[in-house]
Structures are given as structure tokens and as C-alpha cells.
PDB file of all heavy atoms in Angstrom:
ATOM      1  N   LYS A   1      16.223 -81.722 -81.010  1.00  0.00           N
ATOM      2  CA  LYS A   1      15.032 -82.516 -80.717  1.00  0.00           C
ATOM      3  C   LYS A   1      14.973 -83.760 -81.583  1.00  0.00           C
ATOM      4  O   LYS A   1      15.204 -83.708 -82.784  1.00  0.00           O
ATOM      5  CB  LYS A   1      13.769 -81.680 -80.922  1.00  0.00           C
ATOM      6  CG  LYS A   1      13.524 -80.649 -79.842  1.00  0.00           C
ATOM      7  CD  LYS A   1      12.242 -79.876 -80.095  1.00  0.00           C
ATOM      8  CE  LYS A   1      11.986 -78.860 -78.992  1.00  0.00           C
ATOM      9  NZ  LYS A   1      10.766 -78.060 -79.256  1.00  0.00           N
ATOM     10  N   GLY A   2      14.656 -84.879 -80.958  1.00  0.00           N
ATOM     11  CA  GLY A   2      14.584 -86.141 -81.660  1.00  0.00           C
ATOM     12  C   GLY A   2      15.903 -86.863 -81.782  1.00  0.00           C
ATOM     13  O   GLY A   2      15.925 -88.036 -82.169  1.00  0.00           O
ATOM     14  N   ARG A   3      16.998 -86.190 -81.458  1.00  0.00           N
ATOM     15  CA  ARG A   3      18.323 -86.792 -81.561  1.00  0.00           C
ATOM     16  C   ARG A   3      19.009 -86.937 -80.200  1.00  0.00           C
ATOM     17  O   ARG A   3      19.766 -87.878 -79.994  1.00  0.00           O
ATOM     18  CB  ARG A   3      19.221 -85.974 -82.481  1.00  0.00           C
ATOM     19  CG  ARG A   3      18.688 -85.855 -83.900  1.00  0.00           C
ATOM     20  CD  ARG A   3      19.706 -85.206 -84.831  1.00  0.00           C
ATOM     21  NE  ARG A   3      20.012 -83.832 -84.439  1.00  0.00           N
ATOM     22  CZ  ARG A   3      21.210 -83.400 -84.060  1.00  0.00           C
ATOM     23  NH1 ARG A   3      22.249 -84.250 -84.034  1.00  0.00           N
ATOM     24  NH2 ARG A   3      21.400 -82.133 -83.732  1.00  0.00           N
ATOM     25  N   PHE A   4      18.772 -86.002 -79.290  1.00  0.00           N
ATOM     26  CA  PHE A   4      19.411 -86.006 -77.972  1.00  0.00           C
ATOM     27  C   PHE A   4      18.395 -86.372 -76.897  1.00  0.00           C
ATOM     28  O   PHE A   4      17.208 -86.047 -77.011  1.00  0.00           O
ATOM     29  CB  PHE A   4      19.990 -84.634 -77.637  1.00  0.00           C
ATOM     30  CG  PHE A   4      21.195 -84.225 -78.447  1.00  0.00           C
ATOM     31  CD1 PHE A   4      21.589 -84.922 -79.572  1.00  0.00           C
ATOM     32  CD2 PHE A   4      21.928 -83.114 -78.062  1.00  0.00           C
ATOM     33  CE1 PHE A   4      22.695 -84.537 -80.318  1.00  0.00           C
ATOM     34  CE2 PHE A   4      23.036 -82.713 -78.790  1.00  0.00           C
ATOM     35  CZ  PHE A   4      23.423 -83.415 -79.914  1.00  0.00           C
ATOM     36  N   THR A   5      18.871 -87.021 -75.839  1.00  0.00           N
ATOM     37  CA  THR A   5      18.041 -87.369 -74.701  1.00  0.00           C
ATOM     38  C   THR A   5      18.801 -87.089 -73.409  1.00  0.00           C
ATOM     39  O   THR A   5      19.942 -87.523 -73.260  1.00  0.00           O
ATOM     40  CB  THR A   5      17.618 -88.848 -74.724  1.00  0.00           C
ATOM     41  OG1 THR A   5      16.942 -89.145 -75.947  1.00  0.00           O
ATOM     42  CG2 THR A   5      16.687 -89.152 -73.554  1.00  0.00           C
ATOM     43  N   ILE A   6      18.176 -86.367 -72.499  1.00  0.00           N
ATOM     44  CA  ILE A   6      18.763 -86.108 -71.195  1.00  0.00           C
ATOM     45  C   ILE A   6      18.096 -87.013 -70.162  1.00  0.00           C
ATOM     46  O   ILE A   6      16.882 -87.225 -70.198  1.00  0.00           O
ATOM     47  CB  ILE A   6      18.623 -84.617 -70.812  1.00  0.00           C
ATOM     48  CG1 ILE A   6      19.400 -84.312 -69.529  1.00  0.00           C
ATOM     49  CG2 ILE A   6      17.159 -84.211 -70.673  1.00  0.00           C
ATOM     50  CD1 ILE A   6      19.479 -82.819 -69.212  1.00  0.00           C
ATOM     51  N   PHE A   7      18.882 -87.572 -69.266  1.00  0.00           N
ATOM     52  CA  PHE A   7      18.321 -88.376 -68.192  1.00  0.00           C
ATOM     53  C   PHE A   7      19.275 -88.367 -67.011  1.00  0.00           C
ATOM     54  O   PHE A   7      20.454 -88.054 -67.147  1.00  0.00           O
ATOM     55  CB  PHE A   7      17.998 -89.809 -68.649  1.00  0.00           C
ATOM     56  CG  PHE A   7      19.174 -90.597 -69.157  1.00  0.00           C
ATOM     57  CD1 PHE A   7      19.808 -91.525 -68.351  1.00  0.00           C
ATOM     58  CD2 PHE A   7      19.627 -90.444 -70.459  1.00  0.00           C
ATOM     59  CE1 PHE A   7      20.878 -92.277 -68.817  1.00  0.00           C
ATOM     60  CE2 PHE A   7      20.702 -91.183 -70.940  1.00  0.00           C
ATOM     61  CZ  PHE A   7      21.325 -92.104 -70.111  1.00  0.00           C
ATOM     62  N   ARG A   8      18.754 -88.723 -65.854  1.00  0.00           N
ATOM     63  CA  ARG A   8      19.544 -88.673 -64.635  1.00  0.00           C
ATOM     64  C   ARG A   8      19.509 -90.006 -63.908  1.00  0.00           C
ATOM     65  O   ARG A   8      18.526 -90.735 -63.946  1.00  0.00           O
ATOM     66  CB  ARG A   8      19.062 -87.541 -63.724  1.00  0.00           C
ATOM     67  CG  ARG A   8      17.606 -87.635 -63.298  1.00  0.00           C
ATOM     68  CD  ARG A   8      17.080 -86.277 -62.800  1.00  0.00           C
ATOM     69  NE  ARG A   8      17.846 -85.770 -61.671  1.00  0.00           N
ATOM     70  CZ  ARG A   8      17.806 -84.511 -61.251  1.00  0.00           C
ATOM     71  NH1 ARG A   8      17.042 -83.614 -61.884  1.00  0.00           N
ATOM     72  NH2 ARG A   8      18.534 -84.134 -60.209  1.00  0.00           N
ATOM     73  N   ASP A   9      20.601 -90.314 -63.227  1.00  0.00           N
ATOM     74  CA  ASP A   9      20.727 -91.513 -62.411  1.00  0.00           C
ATOM     75  C   ASP A   9      21.141 -91.045 -61.024  1.00  0.00           C
ATOM     76  O   ASP A   9      22.330 -90.903 -60.730  1.00  0.00           O
ATOM     77  CB  ASP A   9      21.755 -92.472 -63.008  1.00  0.00           C
ATOM     78  CG  ASP A   9      21.798 -93.810 -62.297  1.00  0.00           C
ATOM     79  OD1 ASP A   9      21.292 -93.917 -61.165  1.00  0.00           O
ATOM     80  OD2 ASP A   9      22.331 -94.771 -62.884  1.00  0.00           O
ATOM     81  N   ASN A  10      20.163 -90.783 -60.185  1.00  0.00           N
ATOM     82  CA  ASN A  10      20.449 -90.181 -58.888  1.00  0.00           C
ATOM     83  C   ASN A  10      21.335 -91.046 -57.982  1.00  0.00           C
ATOM     84  O   ASN A  10      22.195 -90.510 -57.283  1.00  0.00           O
ATOM     85  CB  ASN A  10      19.151 -89.820 -58.172  1.00  0.00           C
ATOM     86  CG  ASN A  10      18.463 -88.619 -58.791  1.00  0.00           C
ATOM     87  OD1 ASN A  10      19.045 -87.891 -59.592  1.00  0.00           O
ATOM     88  ND2 ASN A  10      17.206 -88.405 -58.417  1.00  0.00           N
ATOM     89  N   PRO A  11      21.159 -92.381 -57.946  1.00  0.00           N
ATOM     90  CA  PRO A  11      22.071 -93.176 -57.122  1.00  0.00           C
ATOM     91  C   PRO A  11      23.536 -93.018 -57.503  1.00  0.00           C
ATOM     92  O   PRO A  11      24.410 -93.150 -56.636  1.00  0.00           O
ATOM     93  CB  PRO A  11      21.579 -94.610 -57.335  1.00  0.00           C
ATOM     94  CG  PRO A  11      20.135 -94.462 -57.649  1.00  0.00           C
ATOM     95  CD  PRO A  11      20.055 -93.209 -58.468  1.00  0.00           C
ATOM     96  N   LYS A  12      23.804 -92.762 -58.776  1.00  0.00           N
ATOM     97  CA  LYS A  12      25.170 -92.524 -59.233  1.00  0.00           C
ATOM     98  C   LYS A  12      25.557 -91.059 -59.175  1.00  0.00           C
ATOM     99  O   LYS A  12      26.700 -90.711 -59.489  1.00  0.00           O
ATOM    100  CB  LYS A  12      25.353 -93.044 -60.657  1.00  0.00           C
ATOM    101  CG  LYS A  12      25.261 -94.557 -60.793  1.00  0.00           C
ATOM    102  CD  LYS A  12      25.540 -94.977 -62.227  1.00  0.00           C
ATOM    103  CE  LYS A  12      25.504 -96.487 -62.364  1.00  0.00           C
ATOM    104  NZ  LYS A  12      25.768 -96.914 -63.760  1.00  0.00           N
ATOM    105  N   ASN A  13      24.611 -90.200 -58.798  1.00  0.00           N
ATOM    106  CA  ASN A  13      24.850 -88.765 -58.719  1.00  0.00           C
ATOM    107  C   ASN A  13      25.374 -88.225 -60.058  1.00  0.00           C
ATOM    108  O   ASN A  13      26.284 -87.391 -60.098  1.00  0.00           O
ATOM    109  CB  ASN A  13      25.842 -88.441 -57.597  1.00  0.00           C
ATOM    110  CG  ASN A  13      25.482 -87.172 -56.845  1.00  0.00           C
ATOM    111  OD1 ASN A  13      24.311 -86.802 -56.734  1.00  0.00           O
ATOM    112  ND2 ASN A  13      26.495 -86.496 -56.309  1.00  0.00           N
ATOM    113  N   THR A  14      24.758 -88.692 -61.133  1.00  0.00           N
ATOM    114  CA  THR A  14      25.234 -88.398 -62.475  1.00  0.00           C
ATOM    115  C   THR A  14      24.069 -88.096 -63.403  1.00  0.00           C
ATOM    116  O   THR A  14      23.004 -88.704 -63.292  1.00  0.00           O
ATOM    117  CB  THR A  14      26.044 -89.581 -63.036  1.00  0.00           C
ATOM    118  OG1 THR A  14      27.159 -89.847 -62.178  1.00  0.00           O
ATOM    119  CG2 THR A  14      26.568 -89.277 -64.433  1.00  0.00           C
ATOM    120  N   VAL A  15      24.284 -87.160 -64.318  1.00  0.00           N
ATOM    121  CA  VAL A  15      23.331 -86.820 -65.364  1.00  0.00           C
ATOM    122  C   VAL A  15      23.983 -87.110 -66.706  1.00  0.00           C
ATOM    123  O   VAL A  15      25.188 -86.885 -66.880  1.00  0.00           O
ATOM    124  CB  VAL A  15      22.895 -85.348 -65.271  1.00  0.00           C
ATOM    125  CG1 VAL A  15      21.939 -84.998 -66.403  1.00  0.00           C
ATOM    126  CG2 VAL A  15      22.237 -85.081 -63.932  1.00  0.00           C
ATOM    127  N   TYR A  16      23.186 -87.576 -67.657  1.00  0.00           N
ATOM    128  CA  TYR A  16      23.702 -87.986 -68.948  1.00  0.00           C
ATOM    129  C   TYR A  16      23.030 -87.212 -70.073  1.00  0.00           C
ATOM    130  O   TYR A  16      21.896 -86.754 -69.960  1.00  0.00           O
ATOM    131  CB  TYR A  16      23.463 -89.478 -69.181  1.00  0.00           C
ATOM    132  CG  TYR A  16      24.081 -90.367 -68.137  1.00  0.00           C
ATOM    133  CD1 TYR A  16      23.354 -90.759 -67.010  1.00  0.00           C
ATOM    134  CD2 TYR A  16      25.388 -90.822 -68.268  1.00  0.00           C
ATOM    135  CE1 TYR A  16      23.918 -91.571 -66.049  1.00  0.00           C
ATOM    136  CE2 TYR A  16      25.955 -91.637 -67.309  1.00  0.00           C
ATOM    137  CZ  TYR A  16      25.217 -92.013 -66.200  1.00  0.00           C
ATOM    138  OH  TYR A  16      25.781 -92.824 -65.248  1.00  0.00           O
ATOM    139  N   LEU A  17      23.747 -87.098 -71.178  1.00  0.00           N
ATOM    140  CA  LEU A  17      23.184 -86.595 -72.413  1.00  0.00           C
ATOM    141  C   LEU A  17      23.529 -87.592 -73.508  1.00  0.00           C
ATOM    142  O   LEU A  17      24.687 -87.697 -73.915  1.00  0.00           O
ATOM    143  CB  LEU A  17      23.723 -85.207 -72.766  1.00  0.00           C
ATOM    144  CG  LEU A  17      23.116 -84.557 -74.009  1.00  0.00           C
ATOM    145  CD1 LEU A  17      21.647 -84.210 -73.770  1.00  0.00           C
ATOM    146  CD2 LEU A  17      23.895 -83.310 -74.409  1.00  0.00           C
ATOM    147  N   GLN A  18      22.528 -88.343 -73.954  1.00  0.00           N
ATOM    148  CA  GLN A  18      22.705 -89.284 -75.044  1.00  0.00           C
ATOM    149  C   GLN A  18      22.522 -88.542 -76.355  1.00  0.00           C
ATOM    150  O   GLN A  18      21.464 -87.957 -76.595  1.00  0.00           O
ATOM    151  CB  GLN A  18      21.698 -90.433 -74.937  1.00  0.00           C
ATOM    152  CG  GLN A  18      21.786 -91.445 -76.065  1.00  0.00           C
ATOM    153  CD  GLN A  18      23.064 -92.238 -76.042  1.00  0.00           C
ATOM    154  OE1 GLN A  18      23.499 -92.674 -74.975  1.00  0.00           O
ATOM    155  NE2 GLN A  18      23.695 -92.412 -77.190  1.00  0.00           N
ATOM    156  N   MET A  19      23.520 -88.576 -77.213  1.00  0.00           N
ATOM    157  CA  MET A  19      23.513 -87.842 -78.466  1.00  0.00           C
ATOM    158  C   MET A  19      23.602 -88.834 -79.618  1.00  0.00           C
ATOM    159  O   MET A  19      24.602 -89.542 -79.761  1.00  0.00           O
ATOM    160  CB  MET A  19      24.669 -86.849 -78.527  1.00  0.00           C
ATOM    161  CG  MET A  19      24.727 -85.897 -77.332  1.00  0.00           C
ATOM    162  SD  MET A  19      25.989 -84.609 -77.515  1.00  0.00           S
ATOM    163  CE  MET A  19      27.460 -85.632 -77.569  1.00  0.00           C
ATOM    164  N   ASN A  20      22.558 -88.878 -80.429  1.00  0.00           N
ATOM    165  CA  ASN A  20      22.495 -89.765 -81.580  1.00  0.00           C
ATOM    166  C   ASN A  20      22.419 -88.948 -82.865  1.00  0.00           C
ATOM    167  O   ASN A  20      22.092 -87.766 -82.850  1.00  0.00           O
ATOM    168  CB  ASN A  20      21.278 -90.686 -81.487  1.00  0.00           C
ATOM    169  CG  ASN A  20      21.307 -91.596 -80.279  1.00  0.00           C
ATOM    170  OD1 ASN A  20      22.372 -92.018 -79.827  1.00  0.00           O
ATOM    171  ND2 ASN A  20      20.125 -91.919 -79.756  1.00  0.00           N
ATOM    172  N   SER A  21      22.693 -89.606 -83.978  1.00  0.00           N
ATOM    173  CA  SER A  21      22.622 -88.967 -85.294  1.00  0.00           C
ATOM    174  C   SER A  21      23.379 -87.646 -85.312  1.00  0.00           C
ATOM    175  O   SER A  21      22.879 -86.620 -85.773  1.00  0.00           O
ATOM    176  CB  SER A  21      21.159 -88.757 -85.700  1.00  0.00           C
ATOM    177  OG  SER A  21      20.454 -89.977 -85.731  1.00  0.00           O
ATOM    178  N   LEU A  22      24.591 -87.667 -84.823  1.00  0.00           N
ATOM    179  CA  LEU A  22      25.367 -86.444 -84.668  1.00  0.00           C
ATOM    180  C   LEU A  22      25.717 -85.820 -86.012  1.00  0.00           C
ATOM    181  O   LEU A  22      25.973 -86.519 -86.996  1.00  0.00           O
ATOM    182  CB  LEU A  22      26.631 -86.726 -83.871  1.00  0.00           C
ATOM    183  CG  LEU A  22      26.399 -86.886 -82.365  1.00  0.00           C
ATOM    184  CD1 LEU A  22      27.592 -87.561 -81.707  1.00  0.00           C
ATOM    185  CD2 LEU A  22      26.139 -85.520 -81.726  1.00  0.00           C
ATOM    186  N   LYS A  23      25.721 -84.499 -86.023  1.00  0.00           N
ATOM    187  CA  LYS A  23      26.022 -83.702 -87.200  1.00  0.00           C
ATOM    188  C   LYS A  23      27.257 -82.843 -86.942  1.00  0.00           C
ATOM    189  O   LYS A  23      27.564 -82.530 -85.792  1.00  0.00           O
ATOM    190  CB  LYS A  23      24.841 -82.794 -87.543  1.00  0.00           C
ATOM    191  CG  LYS A  23      23.514 -83.509 -87.734  1.00  0.00           C
ATOM    192  CD  LYS A  23      22.388 -82.509 -87.938  1.00  0.00           C
ATOM    193  CE  LYS A  23      21.051 -83.209 -88.105  1.00  0.00           C
ATOM    194  NZ  LYS A  23      19.940 -82.232 -88.290  1.00  0.00           N
ATOM    195  N   PRO A  24      27.962 -82.436 -87.993  1.00  0.00           N
ATOM    196  CA  PRO A  24      29.126 -81.564 -87.775  1.00  0.00           C
ATOM    197  C   PRO A  24      28.795 -80.305 -86.978  1.00  0.00           C
ATOM    198  O   PRO A  24      29.632 -79.842 -86.197  1.00  0.00           O
ATOM    199  CB  PRO A  24      29.577 -81.236 -89.201  1.00  0.00           C
ATOM    200  CG  PRO A  24      29.168 -82.428 -89.996  1.00  0.00           C
ATOM    201  CD  PRO A  24      27.851 -82.858 -89.391  1.00  0.00           C
ATOM    202  N   GLU A  25      27.609 -79.754 -87.162  1.00  0.00           N
ATOM    203  CA  GLU A  25      27.232 -78.558 -86.435  1.00  0.00           C
ATOM    204  C   GLU A  25      27.001 -78.789 -84.950  1.00  0.00           C
ATOM    205  O   GLU A  25      26.813 -77.837 -84.193  1.00  0.00           O
ATOM    206  CB  GLU A  25      25.985 -77.902 -87.060  1.00  0.00           C
ATOM    207  CG  GLU A  25      24.825 -78.863 -87.265  1.00  0.00           C
ATOM    208  CD  GLU A  25      24.766 -79.414 -88.682  1.00  0.00           C
ATOM    209  OE1 GLU A  25      25.828 -79.786 -89.222  1.00  0.00           O
ATOM    210  OE2 GLU A  25      23.661 -79.466 -89.251  1.00  0.00           O
ATOM    211  N   ASP A  26      27.017 -80.044 -84.508  1.00  0.00           N
ATOM    212  CA  ASP A  26      26.965 -80.346 -83.085  1.00  0.00           C
ATOM    213  C   ASP A  26      28.316 -80.199 -82.408  1.00  0.00           C
ATOM    214  O   ASP A  26      28.396 -80.268 -81.175  1.00  0.00           O
ATOM    215  CB  ASP A  26      26.448 -81.773 -82.847  1.00  0.00           C
ATOM    216  CG  ASP A  26      25.007 -81.962 -83.284  1.00  0.00           C
ATOM    217  OD1 ASP A  26      24.179 -81.065 -83.026  1.00  0.00           O
ATOM    218  OD2 ASP A  26      24.707 -83.023 -83.869  1.00  0.00           O
ATOM    219  N   SER A  27      29.376 -80.022 -83.168  1.00  0.00           N
ATOM    220  CA  SER A  27      30.714 -79.901 -82.601  1.00  0.00           C
ATOM    221  C   SER A  27      30.801 -78.679 -81.698  1.00  0.00           C
ATOM    222  O   SER A  27      30.465 -77.562 -82.107  1.00  0.00           O
ATOM    223  CB  SER A  27      31.761 -79.805 -83.711  1.00  0.00           C
ATOM    224  OG  SER A  27      31.781 -80.969 -84.501  1.00  0.00           O
ATOM    225  N   ALA A  28      31.246 -78.882 -80.469  1.00  0.00           N
ATOM    226  CA  ALA A  28      31.321 -77.807 -79.483  1.00  0.00           C
ATOM    227  C   ALA A  28      31.891 -78.372 -78.195  1.00  0.00           C
ATOM    228  O   ALA A  28      32.052 -79.586 -78.041  1.00  0.00           O
ATOM    229  CB  ALA A  28      29.941 -77.207 -79.220  1.00  0.00           C
ATOM    230  N   ILE A  29      32.203 -77.481 -77.273  1.00  0.00           N
ATOM    231  CA  ILE A  29      32.453 -77.891 -75.904  1.00  0.00           C
ATOM    232  C   ILE A  29      31.110 -77.953 -75.190  1.00  0.00           C
ATOM    233  O   ILE A  29      30.340 -76.988 -75.232  1.00  0.00           O
ATOM    234  CB  ILE A  29      33.411 -76.929 -75.183  1.00  0.00           C
ATOM    235  CG1 ILE A  29      34.761 -76.885 -75.891  1.00  0.00           C
ATOM    236  CG2 ILE A  29      33.596 -77.352 -73.734  1.00  0.00           C
ATOM    237  CD1 ILE A  29      35.725 -75.874 -75.309  1.00  0.00           C
ATOM    238  N   TYR A  30      30.842 -79.063 -74.552  1.00  0.00           N
ATOM    239  CA  TYR A  30      29.580 -79.269 -73.854  1.00  0.00           C
ATOM    240  C   TYR A  30      29.789 -79.140 -72.356  1.00  0.00           C
ATOM    241  O   TYR A  30      30.706 -79.732 -71.788  1.00  0.00           O
ATOM    242  CB  TYR A  30      29.001 -80.643 -74.187  1.00  0.00           C
ATOM    243  CG  TYR A  30      28.356 -80.705 -75.555  1.00  0.00           C
ATOM    244  CD1 TYR A  30      29.134 -80.696 -76.709  1.00  0.00           C
ATOM    245  CD2 TYR A  30      26.972 -80.759 -75.698  1.00  0.00           C
ATOM    246  CE1 TYR A  30      28.547 -80.731 -77.963  1.00  0.00           C
ATOM    247  CE2 TYR A  30      26.380 -80.801 -76.944  1.00  0.00           C
ATOM    248  CZ  TYR A  30      27.173 -80.788 -78.075  1.00  0.00           C
ATOM    249  OH  TYR A  30      26.589 -80.833 -79.314  1.00  0.00           O
ATOM    250  N   TYR A  31      28.929 -78.362 -71.708  1.00  0.00           N
ATOM    251  CA  TYR A  31      28.995 -78.102 -70.280  1.00  0.00           C
ATOM    252  C   TYR A  31      27.712 -78.567 -69.600  1.00  0.00           C
ATOM    253  O   TYR A  31      26.624 -78.441 -70.158  1.00  0.00           O
ATOM    254  CB  TYR A  31      29.148 -76.607 -69.994  1.00  0.00           C
ATOM    255  CG  TYR A  31      30.341 -75.945 -70.629  1.00  0.00           C
ATOM    256  CD1 TYR A  31      30.263 -75.419 -71.913  1.00  0.00           C
ATOM    257  CD2 TYR A  31      31.541 -75.818 -69.937  1.00  0.00           C
ATOM    258  CE1 TYR A  31      31.356 -74.797 -72.495  1.00  0.00           C
ATOM    259  CE2 TYR A  31      32.628 -75.194 -70.509  1.00  0.00           C
ATOM    260  CZ  TYR A  31      32.533 -74.688 -71.791  1.00  0.00           C
ATOM    261  OH  TYR A  31      33.615 -74.062 -72.364  1.00  0.00           O
ATOM    262  N   CYS A  32      27.827 -79.064 -68.385  1.00  0.00           N
ATOM    263  CA  CYS A  32      26.657 -79.253 -67.555  1.00  0.00           C
ATOM    264  C   CYS A  32      26.627 -78.176 -66.483  1.00  0.00           C
ATOM    265  O   CYS A  32      27.668 -77.666 -66.057  1.00  0.00           O
ATOM    266  CB  CYS A  32      26.594 -80.650 -66.933  1.00  0.00           C
ATOM    267  SG  CYS A  32      27.885 -81.036 -65.739  1.00  0.00           S
TER     268      CYS A  32
END
């Protein structure tokens, strides 16, 4: 919370996850 933002762009048929202020503990495989 406060670092990541989810948003969608329907014309592009795409969803995004903006990740800021990344920390080592954020390291992982990310799935949608």
C-alpha cells in the first residue's frame, strides 16, 4: 500500500501494476 498502483487500459486490453519504492522483499515472480 502506498507504493503500488493497479490500473487498466481497456482499449489496449491490458492491465498494469506500477511499482515504486521497490524493496528487496518485493522480489518474486509476478502473475496476473
Side-chain angles (χ1 to χ4, degrees):
K1 286 181 179 178
R3 300 188 297 118
F4 290 12
T5 303
I6 187 171
F7 60 100
R8 59 199 301 164
D9 187 343
N10 287 347
K12 293 183 178 180
N13 219 29
T14 301
V15 178
Y16 302 92
L17 184 68
Q18 178 67 43
M19 306 186 297
N20 298 328
S21 302
L22 284 163
K23 305 175 181 179
E25 51 263 44
D26 295 318
S27 298
I29 299 175
Y30 283 72
Y31 303 88
C32 66

